[in-house]
Amino acid sequence: MLDWAKLEDDVRTIAQTHWNAPCKPRTIHGVRCDGVIEVKSDYWIAIEISKSDSLEKLRTDVAKFASIRMAQMAKGIYTECMFITAGDTSSLKDTGRSNNVDVMSIAEFAGKFIGKDEYVFIRNNQKFGSAVDPDTGSKDNASFAEVQYISNKHGNAVDIKDIVGQLTNRKKMILIGEFGSGKSRCVQEVFLALSKADDMFPTIAINLRDCWGLQSFDLILRSHLESLGLSKMADNLIKLAAAGKVRFLLDGFDEIGSQSWTGEIERLKDLRRRSLKGVFDLIEKCGNGGVLITGRQHYFSSNREMLDCLGLKFAQVEIVECRDEFSESELQHYLASNSILVNVPSWMPRKPLICQLFSKLPSAELSSISDNAIDEVDFFEKFLDAICARERRIHASIDDKVLKAVLLRLSDKSREKITFPEQITPEEINKAFFEVSGLTPLDESAIMLQRLPYLGRTGTDNANRIFIDDYAKSGLRGLSLCGHIYLADKTISSSIWKGALGEFGARVVWSRVTNWAEAHKYGAYCAKYGNSQVGADIVVSQLSGDDTVIDFAGVRVENAQFDVLDFSGSKIINLKISSSAANEIRLDEATFERCSFQDMIGNRAAGVGSGVRLPECFEKCDFTSYDQADNTARISELPLTDAQKTLLSLIKKLFFQRGRGRKEEGLLRGAEDYWDKRTAASFIRYALGNGIVLEARGDEGKIYVPQRRHMRRMANIMERMGGCGDAIWALAG
């Protein structure tokens, strides 16, 4: 239902914005008008706003206008008259014209003076951030799978409808998530929903990657409208935005400037703050309008820094997180809408952009991959081989083995870039093809190279490509590094790699390396000639395994980048790292012997409460934030029953702590205060009966061995708890 008072106020706001003069209800010569504007001393505008679209109502107002005109004319004032109705104008326009009254519907009025419909039409045909078809680079028009996001404010699930409702009520929201988790597609769907709403003002959707160097809100808005060919709308929309009448969807606060490690945390913060000066100004100047802004989850070192850079306060904003993967129901919906598939392999990652590629393979081929894969890494490589084979069938001019080798070579090339996401030029793609095949790409092969799997367009007007999913990029980097280590390849030793391997890539390397001593020698050789990142990646890979005691035998790493250094639950021996950066370091239940960590910086140190609680072997190390890791002690603080706490503790110990298995008595350690024997027995019985855990005999009794293919299910229970809908949670009922 229309809010009539608001509608009248909106009409007056648009009118005074266009004519740059106040528009207020006023009585002229005894006749009351809904809006009167004194444009000049001898030129006024009178506006009547009506719910009714009847001819009788128009005739009544025409008579009012005639009376006003005559009285004004006697004073030498020309008065332009407008009749605006919420109804249909088709039967009224002729009568209006014959009486010199401009008759418009509300939509026509908004369209004439703001251009909402024109903006919506043109913007809706443009790309929304990284929500593009990776094959063509055009706007992503695949069927949208309804997904849920998680609110940091209350922990509840939030969907598109909830976000639209908040923005309609002029609220501020921040959507964070990893690259490829669906932030841009969310913006696209929110824009579509808001554009259909019964509102006179447009919702402006801006790709912030196009706003580099723009340091004021008016420049950002003018640049955006000019890029759409709508610069004529700029003046009015700037004024309406400043009046709080325009909603903004700002996609990609992490893409408005480059981020590289400078060696100083405060310097990093200053770079981020300066790159977002224009966004800060936009949010400040347009503070009464609804705003949704998106960006990568770990771009800022903390939510506090994020809010400071954006000019927002905790009390006025709701932070919402994208899930990294589809839930099972969301995945089924996506595949049902975009493919003929029904079931999915248990090893397949539920990443949205991986699913996009997955849905294009024949179901029989996917079943074969799933049946023959022995673990996550094996599935990834078999899936990669299947995708390359598919491309060979489409374009017989390129061999699938060459295609795979090109992708691996490009994953190495991306590691030389300092910006994120790393852009790869067509020349670099062609060079990789030549280095792998010995041939210069011509005709069909050159075209094929521009639509390589796992690579997509940047979303800008250039021909550069980016890896469309961090998980896939990390996996390719891992496979490539395995090849370099196996061959003791000297060609990469002089490359200056800046990008880290990534967590999945580390698991790939860990699963393939059989001689760590030789791997470390190879890392030292590369460091000698300038590529110190190789040694760092090998250390991270060895840490990603199940060993609880790891002797690095004097490995040294200097001037390298780490995504995650996970020491948790392990005894680390004889490792030295210096002058390096780590996005995150995990120290929960870690011990160190003959180790040294010097001059390191990073965003987060988990497992310690402050810098003074870092282990003694950490010297001159500076991390932005510190916190206790999720462990059995933290579980005890949750507002849950003892049975539910026991269930979470069992899952945590079995699936998310180091080691290939857990001794029976080890499951209780640390959880004595809330241990529920009945729930523990029920879970073990259920897990054994359903192949989630296997029982083995050790030297000192039973050992329970988790089956890693169930990790995703266990993570869902840990994250969503009572909202997971899993039969396992019911065991604690």
Side-chain angles (χ1 to χ4, degrees), residues 402 431-441:
V402 169
K431 182 181 179 182
F433 178 80
F434 177 77
E435 291 171 345
V436 167
S437 67
L439 302 172
T440 300

Side-chain angles (χ1 to χ4, degrees), residues 43-73:
Y43 172 40
W44 290 22
I45 295 172
I47 301 174
E48 277 294 301
I49 309 165
S50 175
K51 297 179 184 179
S52 173
D53 58 1
S54 70
L55 190 57
E56 181 180 356
K57 171 60 178 171
L58 174 60
R59 286 170 175 164
T60 299
D61 287 343
V62 164
K64 290 169 59 176
F65 287 142
S67 175
I68 291 171
R69 271 194 174 129
M70 289 182 62
Q72 292 284 85
M73 191 64 71

Side-chain angles (χ1 to χ4, degrees), residues 483-513:
H484 295 313
I485 294 172
Y486 179 76
L487 297 172
D489 182 7
K490 296 180 179 180
T491 60
I492 65 167
S493 61
S494 58
S495 299
I496 308 300
W497 284 0
K498 300 176 179 67
L501 179 61
E503 290 191 77
F504 177 52
R507 296 199 297 275
V508 171
V509 175
W510 180 83
S511 72
R512 301 295 172 87
V513 170

Side-chain angles (χ1 to χ4, degrees), residues 78-97:
Y78 173 75
T79 305
E80 182 177 347
C81 300
M82 295 184 181
F83 177 85
I84 300 169
T85 175
D88 179 41
T89 61
S90 56
S91 62
L92 307 179
K93 289 186 176 292
D94 288 342
T95 301
R97 274 193 294 271

Side-chain angles (χ1 to χ4, degrees), residues 255-452:
E255 298 184 61
I256 200 168
S258 64
Q259 182 186 17
S260 59
W261 288 101
T262 67
E264 300 177 21
I265 285 181
E266 291 306 316
R267 173 66 172 161
L268 285 174
K269 290 182 178 179
D270 184 60
L271 286 173
R272 292 191 286 255
R273 186 182 303 111
R274 280 190 287 156
S275 71
L276 287 163
K277 184 177 179 181
V279 177
F280 181 103
D281 187 59
L282 188 153
I283 293 174
E284 181 182 46
K285 297 285 178 60
C286 312
N288 292 328
V291 174
L292 171 66
I293 182 166
T294 77
R296 270 195 297 133
Q297 189 157 5
H298 299 298
Y299 179 72
F300 296 103
S301 59
S302 66
N303 284 348
R304 184 170 299 280
E305 185 201 353
M306 176 174 67
L307 296 181
D308 287 344
C309 287
L310 298 176
L312 294 166
K313 300 184 184 304
F314 279 102
Q316 70 178 142
V317 67
E318 182 175 1
I319 301 173
V320 177
E321 293 185 19
C322 291
R323 298 185 190 279
D324 288 342
E325 297 187 336
F326 283 135
S327 68
E328 290 301 317
S329 60
E330 291 165 353
L331 176 62
Q332 293 296 340
H333 181 197
Y334 176 84
L335 293 175
S337 301
N338 295 286
S339 74
I340 60 172
L341 298 173
V342 177
N343 298 313
V344 295
S346 60
W347 293 116
M348 194 197 81
R350 271 59 171 170
K351 300 277 186 179
L353 288 174
I354 293 293
C355 294
Q356 187 179 45
L357 290 173
F358 176 86
S359 65
K360 296 180 179 181
L361 288 177
S363 55
E365 191 169 345
L366 289 169
S367 298
S368 174
I369 296 171
S370 178
D371 293 342
N372 295 323
I374 59 175
D375 58 21
E376 180 187 23
V377 174
D378 196 40
F379 174 83
F380 178 80
E381 186 161 21
K382 283 183 168 59
F383 184 39
L384 171 62
D385 291 339
I387 289 175
C388 292
R390 170 185 176 268
E391 297 301 323
R392 182 200 63 205
R393 290 193 296 270
I394 297 173
H395 294 275
S397 62
I398 293 187
D399 182 83
D400 51 340
K401 292 182 177 60
V402 169
L403 185 57
K404 180 179 179 180
V406 170
L407 285 170
L408 296 178
R409 184 67 60 94
L410 292 176
S411 74
D412 286 348
K413 174 57 67 174
S414 72
R415 306 185 74 175
E416 300 175 8
K417 312 291 184 176
I418 62 172
T419 58
F420 182 91
E422 305 92 342
Q423 295 193 19
I424 300 171
T425 66
E427 291 75 20
E428 289 170 331
I429 294 174
N430 291 339
K431 182 181 179 182
F433 178 80
F434 177 77
E435 291 171 345
V436 167
S437 67
L439 302 172
T440 300
L442 298 172
D443 302 330
E444 188 177 355
S445 59
I447 296 173
M448 173 60 205
L449 289 173
Q450 293 304 301
R451 55 179 302 273
L452 289 169

